[in-house]
Amino acid sequence: MNNTGVEIEETVKELRQYFKTEKTRSVTWRKNQLQAILNLVHENEDAMSKALYQDLGKHPVEAYRDELGGLEKSAQTTLNCVEKWMAPTKSHIPLVFFPAKGEVLPEPLGVVLIFSSWNFPIMLALDPLIGAISAGNVVVIKPSDQAPACSSFLANTLPQYLDTNAVKVIEGSPRVASIVMTSAARNLTPVTLELGGKCPAIFDHLSNPSDFKMAVKRIVGAKWGTCSGQACIGIDYLLVEEKFSSEVIELLKKFIRKFYGENMIESRVLSRIVNKQHFERLCNLLKDPLVAASIVHGGSVDETNLFIEPTILLDPPLDAEIMTEEIFGPLLPVITVNKIQESIGFIKSRPKPLTIYAFTKDDTFKRKIVAETSSGSVVFNDTLVQVMLLLPHLIFML
Amino acid sequence: MVFDGEAAASLVKEMRLSFNSGKTRSYEWRISQVNAFLKMVVEQEDQIIEALRSDLAKPPLETVVYEIGMFKNSCEVILKELKQWMTPEKAKTSITTFPSSAEIVPEPLVLSLDPVVGAIAAGNAVVLKPSEISPASSALLAKLLAEYMDNSCVRVVEGAVDETTALLQQKWDKILYTGNGKVGRIVMAAAAKHLTPVTARRIISGKWGCNNGQACISPDYVITTKDFAPKLVDALKVELENCFGKNPLESVDLSRIVSSNHFARLTKFLDDDKVSGKIVYGGEKDESKLRIAPTLLLDVPRDSLIMTEEIFGPLLPIITVNKLEESFDFINEGTKPLAAYLFTNDNKFKEEFVKNVSAGGLLINDTVLHLVVHSLPFGGVGESGMGAYHGKFSFDAFTHRKAVLYRGFTGDASLRYPPYTDTKQKTMKALVAGDVTGVVRALFGWS
């Protein structure tokens, strides 16, 4: 469905009118919609996996782990809790105001607009939808046009399950997106931005070999197992003490071979790069001769299939684009420092990341990291991948 | 010395260095600053009263109660509760991520005195830019904060458009802005069957007792039934005279209009004949002293300027409807207000009001007071604003709730990693469904 400005205005007007009827306020309506989302996810797993594979070459198990499984959990938890969350909370009123009682009453905002991105195109559309509906809002979803199969899936399937008066999907080009964003600023609409950044992983020396192995496994799984590094919470670069760097790199190589095999295109375990534009962007990061010279593993690219091999770089120049821009792809710079504590200063001198990962058993160091750095969140000794699936309570936003 | 872009950049740099030193994070530092504020308002009460009298002809009592009193209260709440607010919250983790523990760590975002003390309680460094329209207060704040507060982390920049622009060109971690720009209008529906003097007085104190109507939470207009309107007007007239006497322009208990620009803006509302013809009380003005008397208007045209713009002054239109239920539509047709007030004894009507009227805050049977209750968030919605503060809500407004997850190395779920097998997928599904037997079956290859 192609949308012009006039059509979109009409759609929003209709939604606003429906919101005014207050149908979306009732707990029954909200629970019905949440149940409908659950049903949608249960009944369409194959279709969604197919769409994800078509758009991103994403393996169905990765799709389930990172998108579909998490959605189920999220919808179920929200269904269980919505009534409690909707209830007013009593406020204690000081005696000087006697007689008085006070409460804080959660109220839906009204007409909500959700933009989802292309790397987790199903989850990033439906998870915020679950939140917006549970709060009693009406919603427009604008899926990313860079994941067209998923976008069509959402446009065709959501109307079959949800109240079409309250939830609409608008497909369209980036031009549509920017029109809407400008209007949000003009209209004083509060915005929640889930962006990204360069998420570092601090890798402290782990003396126990099995801990060391597990840490590297987790890093490899997180870096390349989530949409081939095209994830906001993906590990962007590694910080390691100089004297341990070769050990770490050797083990990284070993697990890359173990998980992704020798022939990655055939193994179909790795997602591909989403489109030509991003493929070229990533190739350009490697064009700088000093950067290319720092490649210690991988580096080969397949333009026809939009594939880039898992690539490790050792100490590329810090002012190269690969170290100043968010990578969002399967390239992993390993930056060496003299003492691991220097990682804190390194991270602080750069923009705040969405997540900081740190592999260490040193409790003092852990406390320093939490206290002295600022980020959306911090994860010790693991990567955030399974959090999406299994820990809905942990706040996940910058 | 001109405060330009360079000066702003240099100020921000200095503040960031101070913030990065970690000093604002400690509980002790935050408490010391809150105590410094308390000391300041107690020792300097006279100076504060004088500055507000100079800027606004604000009656000392109003200053003491609304400005100093409220602020002291905010500080006391913080002193009492800060330790608890600063404690990380444990978050539930699930068995599948065992062993792990998680917490939400309140972390300061770097960056008027109530927001300032809230920001400090949250451990931030703060730059305050007071309004230039009240120059005596602005100068006093600059002087006193320099004297009492830790200057490495708390600073005041005075000035107008140029200085504001220079400041806004810098990168801040949070900006709190209180002011115009569709701050929102206040609406009041009055329905009490038995109008008591108390009700009239509460309306009066909310409207004219706050800077003579120049307050974001003052009632902007009143909606009442055609039947009830005459009673309301009479009661207000009586009480207004009790409060401000027969010559309100001379009353020392009434603040003046802040500037000639605003005086012109307010008199413009009355230029319209269709509006000035509806004055039923008051209307007196004195341009040389920038004073306007409390003014009641009955049923001005709904499309007149006074009904479409925020008044922010001592003019109170009273709009009549046939049935009070019509007031909901009237209110909801406009942009969402900062506050909506309802006077009624009808419990059902109260419920309908709370359910149907969307506003930053609602107050039943009084005005303005919800501002002072620190357990209630104060803020707007839609065009009346975003975000809220007061009490713990201030602390939260200036805080980033950082999620921290601690994991160990005991045990790892291989089902996370390639090779991706059907068994792994089935196990994951069973885990999501909380189906323990399913997990076992999947792991043993029985499903």
Side-chain angles (χ1 to χ4, degrees), chain A residues 66-119:
Chain A
D66 292 353
E67 302 209 40
L68 312 180
L71 275 174
E72 265 193 69
K73 190 88 180 163
S74 181
Q76 190 62 66
T77 307
T78 307
L79 190 53
N80 295 340
C81 295
V82 62
E83 207 161 343
K84 187 172 69 157
W85 294 345
M86 277 171 70
T89 40
K90 299 267 172 246
S91 290
H92 161 73
I93 306 290
L95 206 58
V96 71
F97 296 104
F98 183 84
K101 72 175 207 260
E103 64 185 16
V104 179
L105 190 60
E107 185 183 81
L109 293 169
V111 184
V112 168
L113 172 63
I114 295 172
F115 285 102
S116 75
S117 101
W118 51 259
N119 55 351

Short mmCIF file of all heavy atoms in Angstrom, two decimals, chain A residues 66-119:
data_model
loop_
_atom_site.label_atom_id
_atom_site.label_comp_id
_atom_site.label_asym_id
_atom_site.label_seq_id
_atom_site.Cartn_x
_atom_site.Cartn_y
_atom_site.Cartn_z
N ASP A 66 16.29 -14.78 18.53
CA ASP A 66 16.42 -13.33 18.67
C ASP A 66 15.13 -12.56 18.47
O ASP A 66 15.02 -11.42 18.90
CB ASP A 66 17.45 -12.79 17.66
CG ASP A 66 18.86 -13.25 18.00
OD1 ASP A 66 19.04 -13.87 19.08
OD2 ASP A 66 19.77 -13.03 17.19
N GLU A 67 14.17 -13.14 17.76
CA GLU A 67 12.96 -12.36 17.49
C GLU A 67 11.70 -13.04 17.99
O GLU A 67 11.01 -12.52 18.87
CB GLU A 67 12.84 -12.09 15.97
CG GLU A 67 14.04 -11.36 15.39
CD GLU A 67 13.72 -10.48 14.20
OE1 GLU A 67 12.68 -9.81 14.19
OE2 GLU A 67 14.55 -10.46 13.27
N LEU A 68 11.41 -14.22 17.43
CA LEU A 68 10.09 -14.80 17.66
C LEU A 68 9.90 -15.30 19.09
O LEU A 68 8.85 -15.07 19.69
CB LEU A 68 9.85 -15.92 16.64
CG LEU A 68 10.19 -15.51 15.20
CD1 LEU A 68 9.92 -16.65 14.23
CD2 LEU A 68 9.40 -14.28 14.79
N GLY A 69 10.94 -15.98 19.61
CA GLY A 69 10.83 -16.47 20.98
C GLY A 69 10.63 -15.32 21.96
O GLY A 69 9.79 -15.37 22.86
N GLY A 70 11.40 -14.29 21.77
CA GLY A 70 11.31 -13.12 22.65
C GLY A 70 9.94 -12.48 22.59
O GLY A 70 9.40 -12.02 23.60
N LEU A 71 9.35 -12.47 21.41
CA LEU A 71 8.02 -11.88 21.26
C LEU A 71 6.97 -12.65 22.05
O LEU A 71 6.11 -12.08 22.71
CB LEU A 71 7.61 -11.89 19.78
CG LEU A 71 8.11 -10.70 18.98
CD1 LEU A 71 7.76 -10.89 17.52
CD2 LEU A 71 7.49 -9.42 19.50
N GLU A 72 7.10 -13.98 21.96
CA GLU A 72 6.14 -14.81 22.70
C GLU A 72 6.20 -14.48 24.18
O GLU A 72 5.20 -14.29 24.85
CB GLU A 72 6.53 -16.27 22.55
CG GLU A 72 5.81 -16.98 21.46
CD GLU A 72 6.02 -18.47 21.58
OE1 GLU A 72 5.49 -19.06 22.54
OE2 GLU A 72 6.73 -19.03 20.72
N LYS A 73 7.45 -14.43 24.66
CA LYS A 73 7.65 -14.21 26.08
C LYS A 73 7.10 -12.84 26.47
O LYS A 73 6.43 -12.68 27.48
CB LYS A 73 9.15 -14.28 26.36
CG LYS A 73 9.51 -14.30 27.79
CD LYS A 73 9.52 -15.71 28.34
CE LYS A 73 9.89 -15.65 29.81
NZ LYS A 73 9.56 -16.84 30.54
N SER A 74 7.41 -11.86 25.64
CA SER A 74 6.99 -10.50 25.94
C SER A 74 5.47 -10.38 25.96
O SER A 74 4.88 -9.79 26.87
CB SER A 74 7.59 -9.58 24.87
OG SER A 74 7.25 -8.27 25.10
N ALA A 75 4.81 -10.97 24.95
CA ALA A 75 3.35 -10.89 24.89
C ALA A 75 2.73 -11.60 26.09
O ALA A 75 1.78 -11.10 26.70
CB ALA A 75 2.84 -11.49 23.59
N GLN A 76 3.29 -12.74 26.45
CA GLN A 76 2.73 -13.51 27.56
C GLN A 76 2.88 -12.76 28.88
O GLN A 76 1.94 -12.64 29.66
CB GLN A 76 3.42 -14.88 27.65
CG GLN A 76 2.75 -15.83 28.62
CD GLN A 76 1.33 -16.15 28.22
OE1 GLN A 76 1.08 -16.78 27.20
NE2 GLN A 76 0.36 -15.69 29.02
N THR A 77 4.07 -12.23 29.12
CA THR A 77 4.30 -11.49 30.36
C THR A 77 3.38 -10.28 30.43
O THR A 77 2.78 -9.99 31.47
CB THR A 77 5.75 -10.97 30.43
OG1 THR A 77 6.63 -12.05 30.22
CG2 THR A 77 6.05 -10.34 31.77
N THR A 78 3.28 -9.56 29.33
CA THR A 78 2.45 -8.37 29.32
C THR A 78 0.99 -8.73 29.56
O THR A 78 0.28 -8.07 30.33
CB THR A 78 2.59 -7.62 28.00
OG1 THR A 78 3.98 -7.38 27.76
CG2 THR A 78 1.86 -6.29 28.03
N LEU A 79 0.55 -9.81 28.94
CA LEU A 79 -0.82 -10.28 29.15
C LEU A 79 -1.07 -10.57 30.63
O LEU A 79 -2.11 -10.21 31.20
CB LEU A 79 -1.03 -11.55 28.32
CG LEU A 79 -2.42 -12.12 28.18
CD1 LEU A 79 -3.38 -11.06 27.69
CD2 LEU A 79 -2.38 -13.28 27.18
N ASN A 80 -0.07 -11.17 31.27
CA ASN A 80 -0.23 -11.49 32.69
C ASN A 80 -0.22 -10.26 33.57
O ASN A 80 -0.82 -10.24 34.64
CB ASN A 80 0.89 -12.43 33.15
CG ASN A 80 0.82 -13.78 32.46
OD1 ASN A 80 -0.21 -14.16 31.93
ND2 ASN A 80 1.94 -14.49 32.46
N CYS A 81 0.49 -9.22 33.17
CA CYS A 81 0.72 -8.08 34.07
C CYS A 81 -0.09 -6.83 33.76
O CYS A 81 -0.11 -5.90 34.57
CB CYS A 81 2.19 -7.68 34.04
SG CYS A 81 3.28 -8.93 34.70
N VAL A 82 -0.72 -6.77 32.61
CA VAL A 82 -1.31 -5.50 32.17
C VAL A 82 -2.31 -4.93 33.17
O VAL A 82 -2.35 -3.72 33.42
CB VAL A 82 -1.92 -5.62 30.75
CG1 VAL A 82 -3.06 -6.63 30.72
CG2 VAL A 82 -2.40 -4.28 30.25
N GLU A 83 -3.10 -5.83 33.77
CA GLU A 83 -4.11 -5.32 34.70
C GLU A 83 -3.45 -4.62 35.89
O GLU A 83 -3.89 -3.56 36.33
CB GLU A 83 -4.97 -6.49 35.19
CG GLU A 83 -6.34 -6.03 35.57
CD GLU A 83 -7.34 -7.17 35.61
OE1 GLU A 83 -7.06 -8.25 35.04
OE2 GLU A 83 -8.39 -6.97 36.22
N LYS A 84 -2.37 -5.23 36.36
CA LYS A 84 -1.66 -4.64 37.49
C LYS A 84 -1.03 -3.30 37.08
O LYS A 84 -1.10 -2.31 37.80
CB LYS A 84 -0.57 -5.62 37.94
CG LYS A 84 0.15 -5.22 39.21
CD LYS A 84 1.07 -6.32 39.70
CE LYS A 84 2.24 -6.49 38.77
NZ LYS A 84 3.42 -7.10 39.37
N TRP A 85 -0.44 -3.29 35.89
CA TRP A 85 0.26 -2.08 35.45
C TRP A 85 -0.71 -0.92 35.23
O TRP A 85 -0.33 0.23 35.40
CB TRP A 85 1.02 -2.35 34.15
CG TRP A 85 2.16 -3.31 34.29
CD1 TRP A 85 2.73 -3.73 35.45
CD2 TRP A 85 2.85 -3.98 33.24
NE1 TRP A 85 3.75 -4.63 35.17
CE2 TRP A 85 3.85 -4.79 33.83
CE3 TRP A 85 2.74 -3.98 31.84
CZ2 TRP A 85 4.72 -5.59 33.08
CZ3 TRP A 85 3.62 -4.75 31.10
CH2 TRP A 85 4.59 -5.55 31.70
N MET A 86 -1.95 -1.26 34.83
CA MET A 86 -2.95 -0.22 34.53
C MET A 86 -3.50 0.44 35.77
O MET A 86 -4.10 1.51 35.70
CB MET A 86 -4.17 -0.86 33.86
CG MET A 86 -4.09 -1.09 32.42
SD MET A 86 -5.49 -2.09 31.90
CE MET A 86 -6.82 -0.91 32.08
N ALA A 87 -3.37 -0.23 36.90
CA ALA A 87 -4.07 0.24 38.09
C ALA A 87 -3.44 1.51 38.64
O ALA A 87 -2.23 1.67 38.59
CB ALA A 87 -4.04 -0.85 39.15
N PRO A 88 -4.25 2.41 39.17
CA PRO A 88 -3.68 3.61 39.79
C PRO A 88 -2.85 3.24 41.00
O PRO A 88 -3.14 2.27 41.69
CB PRO A 88 -4.90 4.43 40.23
CG PRO A 88 -6.09 3.71 39.75
CD PRO A 88 -5.72 2.37 39.25
N THR A 89 -1.81 4.04 41.27
CA THR A 89 -1.05 3.81 42.49
C THR A 89 -1.37 4.93 43.47
O THR A 89 -1.37 6.10 43.11
CB THR A 89 0.47 3.83 42.24
OG1 THR A 89 0.74 4.86 41.30
CG2 THR A 89 0.97 2.53 41.68
N LYS A 90 -1.63 4.51 44.70
CA LYS A 90 -1.97 5.52 45.71
C LYS A 90 -0.73 6.33 46.05
O LYS A 90 0.37 5.80 46.12
CB LYS A 90 -2.47 4.82 46.99
CG LYS A 90 -3.72 4.00 46.77
CD LYS A 90 -4.98 4.78 47.05
CE LYS A 90 -6.21 4.00 46.64
NZ LYS A 90 -6.95 4.60 45.55
N SER A 91 -0.95 7.61 46.29
CA SER A 91 0.16 8.45 46.76
C SER A 91 -0.10 8.85 48.18
O SER A 91 -1.22 9.15 48.56
CB SER A 91 0.24 9.72 45.92
OG SER A 91 0.67 9.42 44.64
N HIS A 92 0.98 8.90 48.94
CA HIS A 92 0.83 9.35 50.32
C HIS A 92 0.72 10.87 50.33
O HIS A 92 1.57 11.56 49.79
CB HIS A 92 2.04 8.89 51.13
CG HIS A 92 2.22 9.65 52.38
ND1 HIS A 92 1.40 9.49 53.47
CD2 HIS A 92 3.09 10.63 52.72
CE1 HIS A 92 1.79 10.31 54.43
NE2 HIS A 92 2.81 11.01 54.01
N ILE A 93 -0.35 11.38 50.92
CA ILE A 93 -0.52 12.84 50.97
C ILE A 93 -0.19 13.30 52.39
O ILE A 93 -0.72 12.77 53.36
CB ILE A 93 -1.98 13.23 50.63
CG1 ILE A 93 -2.39 12.63 49.30
CG2 ILE A 93 -2.12 14.74 50.64
CD1 ILE A 93 -1.73 13.23 48.11
N PRO A 94 0.68 14.31 52.53
CA PRO A 94 1.05 14.76 53.87
C PRO A 94 -0.15 15.27 54.67
O PRO A 94 -1.13 15.75 54.09
CB PRO A 94 2.01 15.93 53.59
CG PRO A 94 2.43 15.78 52.19
CD PRO A 94 1.36 15.04 51.47
N LEU A 95 -0.05 15.16 55.98
CA LEU A 95 -1.14 15.50 56.90
C LEU A 95 -1.65 16.92 56.71
O LEU A 95 -2.84 17.19 56.89
CB LEU A 95 -0.64 15.30 58.34
CG LEU A 95 -1.72 15.00 59.37
CD1 LEU A 95 -2.47 13.74 58.96
CD2 LEU A 95 -1.07 14.79 60.73
N VAL A 96 -0.77 17.81 56.33
CA VAL A 96 -1.15 19.22 56.22
C VAL A 96 -2.28 19.43 55.19
O VAL A 96 -2.97 20.44 55.21
CB VAL A 96 0.10 20.08 55.89
CG1 VAL A 96 0.56 19.83 54.46
CG2 VAL A 96 -0.16 21.54 56.12
N PHE A 97 -2.48 18.45 54.30
CA PHE A 97 -3.54 18.59 53.31
C PHE A 97 -4.80 17.86 53.68
O PHE A 97 -5.73 17.78 52.87
CB PHE A 97 -3.05 18.06 51.95
CG PHE A 97 -1.92 18.86 51.39
CD1 PHE A 97 -0.63 18.38 51.44
CD2 PHE A 97 -2.14 20.12 50.88
CE1 PHE A 97 0.43 19.12 50.95
CE2 PHE A 97 -1.09 20.87 50.39
CZ PHE A 97 0.19 20.37 50.42
N PHE A 98 -4.84 17.30 54.89
CA PHE A 98 -6.03 16.55 55.30
C PHE A 98 -7.26 17.42 55.17
O PHE A 98 -7.26 18.57 55.57
CB PHE A 98 -5.84 16.10 56.75
CG PHE A 98 -6.98 15.26 57.25
CD1 PHE A 98 -6.99 13.90 57.00
CD2 PHE A 98 -8.04 15.84 57.94
CE1 PHE A 98 -8.03 13.11 57.46
CE2 PHE A 98 -9.08 15.06 58.39
CZ PHE A 98 -9.08 13.69 58.15
N PRO A 99 -8.42 16.95 54.64
CA PRO A 99 -8.57 15.62 54.07
C PRO A 99 -8.25 15.60 52.59
O PRO A 99 -8.70 16.45 51.84
CB PRO A 99 -10.07 15.36 54.27
CG PRO A 99 -10.71 16.72 54.23
CD PRO A 99 -9.68 17.73 54.61
N ALA A 100 -7.47 14.64 52.18
CA ALA A 100 -7.16 14.56 50.76
C ALA A 100 -6.65 13.16 50.44
O ALA A 100 -6.10 12.49 51.31
CB ALA A 100 -6.07 15.57 50.41
N LYS A 101 -6.89 12.73 49.24
CA LYS A 101 -6.22 11.51 48.81
C LYS A 101 -5.68 11.73 47.41
O LYS A 101 -6.21 12.53 46.64
CB LYS A 101 -7.15 10.29 48.89
CG LYS A 101 -8.23 10.21 47.88
CD LYS A 101 -8.95 8.86 48.06
CE LYS A 101 -9.56 8.40 46.78
NZ LYS A 101 -10.86 8.53 46.46
N GLY A 102 -4.61 11.04 47.12
CA GLY A 102 -3.97 11.25 45.83
C GLY A 102 -3.62 9.94 45.17
O GLY A 102 -3.44 8.93 45.83
N GLU A 103 -3.54 9.97 43.87
CA GLU A 103 -3.11 8.77 43.16
C GLU A 103 -2.46 9.17 41.85
O GLU A 103 -2.66 10.28 41.34
CB GLU A 103 -4.31 7.86 42.88
CG GLU A 103 -5.34 8.48 41.97
CD GLU A 103 -6.58 7.61 41.81
OE1 GLU A 103 -6.78 6.70 42.64
OE2 GLU A 103 -7.35 7.88 40.89
N VAL A 104 -1.66 8.25 41.35
CA VAL A 104 -1.07 8.46 40.02
C VAL A 104 -1.74 7.47 39.09
O VAL A 104 -1.74 6.26 39.34
CB VAL A 104 0.46 8.26 40.05
CG1 VAL A 104 1.04 8.46 38.66
CG2 VAL A 104 1.09 9.23 41.02
N LEU A 105 -2.33 7.99 38.03
CA LEU A 105 -3.17 7.19 37.17
C LEU A 105 -2.51 7.02 35.81
O LEU A 105 -2.30 8.00 35.11
CB LEU A 105 -4.48 7.97 36.98
CG LEU A 105 -5.66 7.32 36.34
CD1 LEU A 105 -6.09 6.11 37.12
CD2 LEU A 105 -6.80 8.33 36.30
N PRO A 106 -2.15 5.79 35.41
CA PRO A 106 -1.54 5.62 34.09
C PRO A 106 -2.59 5.87 33.01
O PRO A 106 -3.69 5.32 33.08
CB PRO A 106 -1.08 4.16 34.06
CG PRO A 106 -1.21 3.67 35.45
CD PRO A 106 -2.22 4.51 36.14
N GLU A 107 -2.23 6.66 32.04
CA GLU A 107 -3.20 7.05 31.01
C GLU A 107 -2.54 6.85 29.65
O GLU A 107 -1.37 7.22 29.49
CB GLU A 107 -3.49 8.53 31.23
CG GLU A 107 -4.55 9.12 30.37
CD GLU A 107 -4.67 10.62 30.65
OE1 GLU A 107 -3.86 11.37 30.11
OE2 GLU A 107 -5.58 10.99 31.41
N PRO A 108 -3.24 6.28 28.67
CA PRO A 108 -2.59 6.12 27.36
C PRO A 108 -2.32 7.49 26.74
O PRO A 108 -3.05 8.45 26.98
CB PRO A 108 -3.62 5.36 26.53
CG PRO A 108 -4.89 5.44 27.27
CD PRO A 108 -4.60 5.76 28.68
N LEU A 109 -1.30 7.56 25.92
CA LEU A 109 -0.96 8.83 25.30
C LEU A 109 -1.86 9.15 24.13
O LEU A 109 -2.14 10.30 23.86
CB LEU A 109 0.51 8.81 24.85
CG LEU A 109 1.51 8.75 26.01
CD1 LEU A 109 2.91 8.46 25.50
CD2 LEU A 109 1.50 10.07 26.77
N GLY A 110 -2.31 8.12 23.42
CA GLY A 110 -3.22 8.40 22.31
C GLY A 110 -2.79 7.66 21.06
O GLY A 110 -2.87 6.44 21.01
N VAL A 111 -2.34 8.39 20.08
CA VAL A 111 -1.95 7.79 18.80
C VAL A 111 -0.44 7.68 18.78
O VAL A 111 0.27 8.67 18.84
CB VAL A 111 -2.44 8.63 17.61
CG1 VAL A 111 -2.11 7.92 16.30
CG2 VAL A 111 -3.93 8.89 17.72
N VAL A 112 0.03 6.44 18.69
CA VAL A 112 1.47 6.18 18.79
C VAL A 112 2.01 5.75 17.44
O VAL A 112 1.35 5.01 16.70
CB VAL A 112 1.72 5.05 19.82
CG1 VAL A 112 3.15 4.53 19.76
CG2 VAL A 112 1.41 5.55 21.22
N LEU A 113 3.19 6.19 17.11
CA LEU A 113 3.84 5.81 15.86
C LEU A 113 5.09 5.00 16.17
O LEU A 113 5.92 5.42 16.98
CB LEU A 113 4.23 7.06 15.07
CG LEU A 113 5.09 6.87 13.83
CD1 LEU A 113 4.37 6.04 12.78
CD2 LEU A 113 5.46 8.22 13.25
N ILE A 114 5.20 3.83 15.57
CA ILE A 114 6.37 2.97 15.80
C ILE A 114 7.13 2.78 14.50
O ILE A 114 6.56 2.33 13.51
CB ILE A 114 5.92 1.59 16.34
CG1 ILE A 114 5.28 1.75 17.72
CG2 ILE A 114 7.10 0.64 16.43
CD1 ILE A 114 4.64 0.47 18.23
N PHE A 115 8.39 3.14 14.54
CA PHE A 115 9.26 2.83 13.40
C PHE A 115 10.07 1.61 13.76
O PHE A 115 10.71 1.58 14.81
CB PHE A 115 10.29 3.95 13.20
CG PHE A 115 9.73 5.19 12.59
CD1 PHE A 115 9.45 6.29 13.37
CD2 PHE A 115 9.52 5.27 11.22
CE1 PHE A 115 8.95 7.45 12.81
CE2 PHE A 115 9.02 6.43 10.65
CZ PHE A 115 8.74 7.52 11.46
N SER A 116 10.09 0.59 12.91
CA SER A 116 10.98 -0.53 13.24
C SER A 116 12.13 -0.54 12.26
O SER A 116 12.05 0.03 11.18
CB SER A 116 10.21 -1.84 13.19
OG SER A 116 9.99 -2.21 11.85
N SER A 117 13.20 -1.15 12.65
CA SER A 117 14.36 -1.14 11.78
C SER A 117 14.50 -2.48 11.06
O SER A 117 13.75 -3.41 11.32
CB SER A 117 15.61 -0.78 12.58
OG SER A 117 16.34 -1.92 12.88
N TRP A 118 15.45 -2.58 10.18
CA TRP A 118 15.48 -3.74 9.28
C TRP A 118 16.21 -4.94 9.84
O TRP A 118 16.11 -6.04 9.30
CB TRP A 118 16.12 -3.35 7.95
CG TRP A 118 17.45 -2.65 8.06
CD1 TRP A 118 17.68 -1.32 7.95
CD2 TRP A 118 18.74 -3.27 8.31
NE1 TRP A 118 19.01 -1.05 8.11
CE2 TRP A 118 19.69 -2.23 8.33
CE3 TRP A 118 19.18 -4.58 8.50
CZ2 TRP A 118 21.04 -2.45 8.54
CZ3 TRP A 118 20.53 -4.80 8.71
CH2 TRP A 118 21.44 -3.75 8.74
N ASN A 119 16.98 -4.78 10.90
CA ASN A 119 17.80 -5.92 11.32
C ASN A 119 17.03 -6.92 12.18
O ASN A 119 17.35 -8.11 12.19
CB ASN A 119 19.08 -5.44 12.01
CG ASN A 119 18.80 -4.50 13.17
OD1 ASN A 119 17.67 -4.05 13.37
ND2 ASN A 119 19.82 -4.20 13.94
#
